[in-house]
Amino acid sequence: MDRRQAVDLGEFGDAFRRDPHPVYAMLRERGPVHRIRIPDAAEDYETWLVVGYEEARTALADPRLAKDGAKIGVMFVDQALVGRYLLATDPPQHTRLRSLVTRAFTMRRIEQLRPRVRRITDELLDEMLSPGGGRADLIAALAYPLPLTVICELLGVPEMDRTEFRKISTQVVAPTDPESESEAIARLGEYLTELIEDKRRSGVTGDLLGELVRTTAEDGDRLSPEELRGMAFLLLIAGHETTVNLIGNGVLALLTHPDQLAALRADMSLIDGVVEETLRWEGPVENATFRYAVEPLEIGGVRIEKGEHVMVGLTAAQRDGARFPAPDRFDIRRDARGHLAFGHGLHYCLGAPLARLEGRTAISSLLERAPGLALDGPHDEWLPGMLMRGLRTLPVRW
């Protein structure tokens, strides 16, 4: 493909941030893979973007597309400041790291969290729905504090200033500028270094981070301090930011599709369908983190040269009509299996069961306790960047 034909996504302006789906649909009509220029990048940064479903699914599992940028001489600021983590490694390092963390991140542990997730949700709704209210920002009142509280308790992170942490976390996943991103990552890295050392000294068990500090594989392998910091960074950030968006996007979808909301209210057993269709229709991650071609390959008839960067468009792929009929329709009875919201292959999200549990609990509890829930003002301020797909605020009333 002629590189002069790169599509400059910045030319679509704010409309692309508010609603990227028409742009992705236009690209899919032209082909499954495109050279694009990322909007608001520090430089005119170009990469390949995969927008077709089958091509995206294949690319997510293709070993020729490495996650470790060091293989082609790339090191992003987060890895430099906090260390390598699962999303930035390949086998055998990825296999080793994942096996060590999986020992502590089990389905049994997630199931044990169910009553606690429900209690935290009830407490947040008690506060939000207290007499004399009647309106709130759902992101600040429920979608953000629920997963943050759960992941902090799971990891064993002391209760921190949520307002301050939200600023740091948002700058990491949806930075407004490179300098703020670097500062946020550095601050979080310093905090985690101190926390891990406290865990090591105290020897207290019972939380995930403490277990990771002491986890030893059968061959005696353990996580290094740098690996522990990188793992904690990933679990803390990915463990709540994505679920914030899942809850917010799911409630917004229901409130803007009254027929689907009515169907759910009539049959709350459809809640699983709501979560899965939200993940497909407006998933929390817009594009997977970069992959790097370690050898020439072809995707969707397009040649990718060694050393080039590839971004897999999860949001774009999940509106591919070749895989999901009437893809722009939000349908909670749809069979949404096969969506790519949690990735595919080796890097499939470890936290998927926890995200689903929190999404089901938050949305169903909210609707049960706020029967008159409705939108209460503008809801078009979406997070910047092309990584996350979520709202800054979601004003509601009841």
Side-chain angles (χ1 to χ4, degrees):
M1 180 178 289
D2 188 337
R3 299 188 185 276
R4 289 174 299 179
Q5 295 178 350
V7 178
D8 185 355
L9 297 180
E11 293 182 353
F12 297 98
D14 291 341
F16 177 71
R17 180 69 261 139
R18 291 192 299 271
D19 184 9
H21 300 292
V23 175
Y24 290 143
M26 176 269 291
L27 292 176
R28 281 195 308 272
E29 289 177 3
R30 297 181 183 178
V33 182
H34 296 272
R35 189 78 179 171
I36 61 138
R37 187 169 296 119
I38 296 177
D40 302 322
E43 302 173 357
D44 284 342
Y45 186 85
E46 292 186 7
T47 184
W48 293 102
L49 175 65
V50 183
V51 296
Y53 175 86
E54 289 300 335
E55 293 78 10
R57 185 179 173 89
T58 299
L60 288 171
D62 194 326
R64 296 172 296 178
L65 292 174
K67 295 293 290 179
D68 184 356
K71 292 181 176 178
I72 63 165
V74 172
M75 175 70 80
F76 282 101
V77 63
D78 53 356
Q79 298 167 46
L81 292 172
V82 301
R84 296 279 174 81
Y85 47 85
L86 282 171
L87 278 180
T89 58
D90 302 300
Q93 185 182 19
H94 176 271
T95 307
R96 170 181 163 270
L97 291 176
R98 186 156 179 136
S99 66
L100 286 168
V101 71
T102 301
R103 289 167 165 266
F105 209 86
T106 63
M107 283 296 295
R108 179 170 171 268
R109 182 188 289 272
I110 300 305
E111 189 56 35
Q112 289 174 337
L113 283 172
R114 186 182 298 275
R116 181 59 182 146
V117 170
R118 184 59 189 252
R119 282 198 299 275
I120 294 169
T121 302
D122 287 343
E123 290 168 3
L124 290 169
L125 288 175
D126 285 345
E127 184 175 351
M128 174 179 146
L129 301 173
S130 59
R135 49 175 34 96
D137 169 15
L138 190 74
I139 303 299
L142 178 65
Y144 175 74
L146 170 60
L148 177 63
T149 303
V150 171
I151 198 63
C152 285
E153 290 187 0
L154 179 62
L155 284 171
V157 176
E159 186 170 354
M160 58 182 74
D161 185 322
R162 288 176 180 168
T163 302
E164 181 64 19
F165 181 74
R166 186 181 185 188
K167 292 177 184 176
I168 295 174
S169 179
T170 302
Q171 280 298 336
V172 171
V173 300
T176 52
D177 61 79
E179 185 176 343
S180 297
E181 178 185 15
S182 298
E183 290 176 0
I185 293 171
R187 289 171 64 191
L188 188 54
E190 291 170 2
Y191 174 80
L192 292 173
T193 297
E194 294 175 3
L195 179 62
I196 289 166
E197 187 54 36
D198 287 345
K199 299 281 184 186
R200 197 185 303 279
R201 284 197 303 264
S202 69
V204 177
T205 58
D207 60 71
L208 179 54
L209 191 53
E211 288 183 22
L212 288 175
V213 169
R214 283 169 285 282
T215 290
T216 304
E218 292 178 3
D219 60 359
D221 187 21
R222 301 184 72 171
L223 292 168
S224 70
E226 180 192 52
E227 290 168 341
L228 275 167
R229 188 172 61 242
M231 192 70 73
F233 171 81
L234 177 64
L235 293 174
L236 188 58
I237 297 296
H240 86 277
E241 282 285 356
T242 51
T243 310
V244 174
N245 298 344
L246 168 59
I247 296 169
N249 295 357
V251 172
L252 176 63
L254 287 168
L255 294 182
T256 53
H257 294 80
D259 60 326
Q260 300 299 299
L261 177 59
L264 176 61
R265 287 196 180 282
D267 181 4
M268 289 302 291
S269 71
L270 292 172
I271 187 62
D272 285 346
V274 171
V275 170
E276 297 308 309
E277 178 67 341
T278 298
L279 288 165
R280 181 204 70 84
W281 189 76
E282 197 76 276
V285 181
E286 187 168 339
N287 295 284
T289 52
F290 284 113
R291 283 164 165 76
Y292 313 96
V294 293
E295 62 180 85
L297 71 152
E298 189 174 287
I299 306 176
V302 174
R303 181 176 173 83
I304 311 294
E305 300 294 348
K306 180 179 178 179
E308 293 190 321
H309 303 187
V310 176
M311 197 159 61
V312 180
L314 307 180
T315 289
Q318 297 184 142
R319 296 283 187 107
D320 188 340
R323 175 60 180 82
F324 298 104
D328 293 326
R329 187 177 71 222
F330 180 71
D331 181 1
I332 63 175
R333 291 189 174 89
R334 179 196 300 273
D335 182 356
R337 286 178 298 181
H339 67 68
L340 303 174
F342 293 121
H344 173 65
L346 289 175
H347 292 278
Y348 185 82
C349 178
L350 270 173
L354 179 57
R356 286 183 164 113
L357 170 61
E358 292 173 335
R360 285 195 303 266
T361 305
I363 296 173
S364 59
S365 298
L366 172 67
L367 294 180
E368 287 167 359
R369 296 188 56 180
L373 192 71
L375 293 172
D376 187 43
H379 49 272
D380 58 357
E381 190 180 355
W382 295 82
L383 295 172
M386 291 186 66
L387 176 61
M388 308 302 288
R389 180 69 183 155
L391 293 158
R392 285 195 182 278
T393 61
L394 181 57
V396 294
R397 56 181 168 79
W398 56 90

